[in-house]
Amino acid sequence: MKRESMRSGDLAEDTRRDDPFDEFVAARYQALLRSAFLITGNVHDARDLLHDALSRVYVRRGAIRDPGAAEGYVRRTMVRTHVSRWRRTRREVLTPLLPESPVAAADPRDEELERVLRSLPPRQRTAVVLRYYADLSVAQVAEELGCSLATAKTHLARAMRTLRQELGPVKEMVGHDG
């Protein structure tokens, strides 16, 4: 039994060796990794980029007619993948410096409010966020929710009742001078 499983493992290994793409990767891996490093500037990102590109090209390896063109396909895929990643993350500004002053500690009431908001049904939570955080009118809330004005008012009333019960007595500071 053990010998048979070993033989089938050997057969699978021989099949993998016969794949020209595997031979290409074994022969050109270091050169492709150097190219990926030059593209990314970081060895860890280069490995990720190369492996992503190889996995994408591997799936389509049957469409490559000229085995000598595989390296060009992999390089083009690396460049396109890197550009796609760069476009997604270019708005991030990385800095090695820490902020000058520590961030203010979160108010425990904010955490409790977040917990209670999460416990609300989705439509009630959405209505509260649209009405009180996005500062939309009740009519606009109804339009955003795709429901009637009465239904939007009902969602808001039920949500506010739940918030008042769960959060307890809280002084409202909105619209008061003092």
Side-chain angles (χ1 to χ4, degrees):
M1 208 53 154
K2 213 172 191 184
R3 289 181 184 173
E4 288 177 27
S5 62
M6 287 176 61
R7 285 182 191 157
S8 64
D10 292 343
L11 180 62
E13 195 172 308
D14 290 340
T15 305
R16 278 185 261 136
R17 287 184 193 148
D18 293 337
D19 189 354
F21 190 79
D22 290 340
E23 293 173 6
F24 157 75
V25 170
R28 300 299 300 158
Y29 184 84
Q30 289 301 319
L32 290 169
L33 184 60
R34 277 191 299 276
S35 296
F37 176 78
L38 292 173
I39 291 170
T40 62
N42 180 324
V43 70
H44 301 292
D45 292 341
R47 284 189 182 125
D48 289 343
L49 180 64
L50 176 58
H51 293 170
D52 286 349
L54 288 173
S55 66
R56 290 177 185 196
V57 173
Y58 182 79
V59 172
R60 309 259 319 152
R61 71 188 183 282
I64 301 173
R65 293 184 184 135
D66 179 16
E71 188 166 352
Y73 280 103
V74 173
R75 284 201 175 129
R76 186 177 311 123
T77 304
M78 283 192 303
V79 169
R80 290 180 177 172
T81 302
H82 181 67
V83 168
S84 295
R85 287 180 183 170
W86 175 78
R87 284 181 179 156
R88 280 193 303 265
T89 61
R90 70 178 167 185
R91 293 184 188 105
E92 296 177 359
V93 179
L94 302 177
T95 177
L97 303 174
L98 294 174
E100 291 178 19
S101 61
V103 177
D107 189 352
R109 294 180 302 180
D110 290 343
E111 292 174 6
E112 189 173 353
L113 176 62
E114 184 179 343
R115 179 189 59 79
V116 175
L117 277 173
R118 276 197 225 140
S119 71
L120 291 174
R123 293 188 58 89
Q124 288 180 18
R125 181 175 54 242
T126 304
V128 167
V129 169
L130 291 173
R131 176 71 178 111
Y132 298 104
Y133 288 102
D135 201 28
L136 299 180
S137 68
V138 178
Q140 290 171 320
V141 170
E143 185 178 328
E144 289 291 322
L145 289 175
C147 63
S148 69
L149 187 62
T151 303
K153 287 180 180 180
T154 301
H155 286 315
L156 285 167
R158 289 179 180 164
M160 292 308 294
R161 182 177 55 232
T162 302
L163 288 171
R164 285 186 188 107
Q165 287 173 351
E166 294 291 322
L167 294 175
V170 177
K171 292 182 182 177
E172 277 194 39
M173 300 290 284
V174 179
H176 297 286
D177 295 326

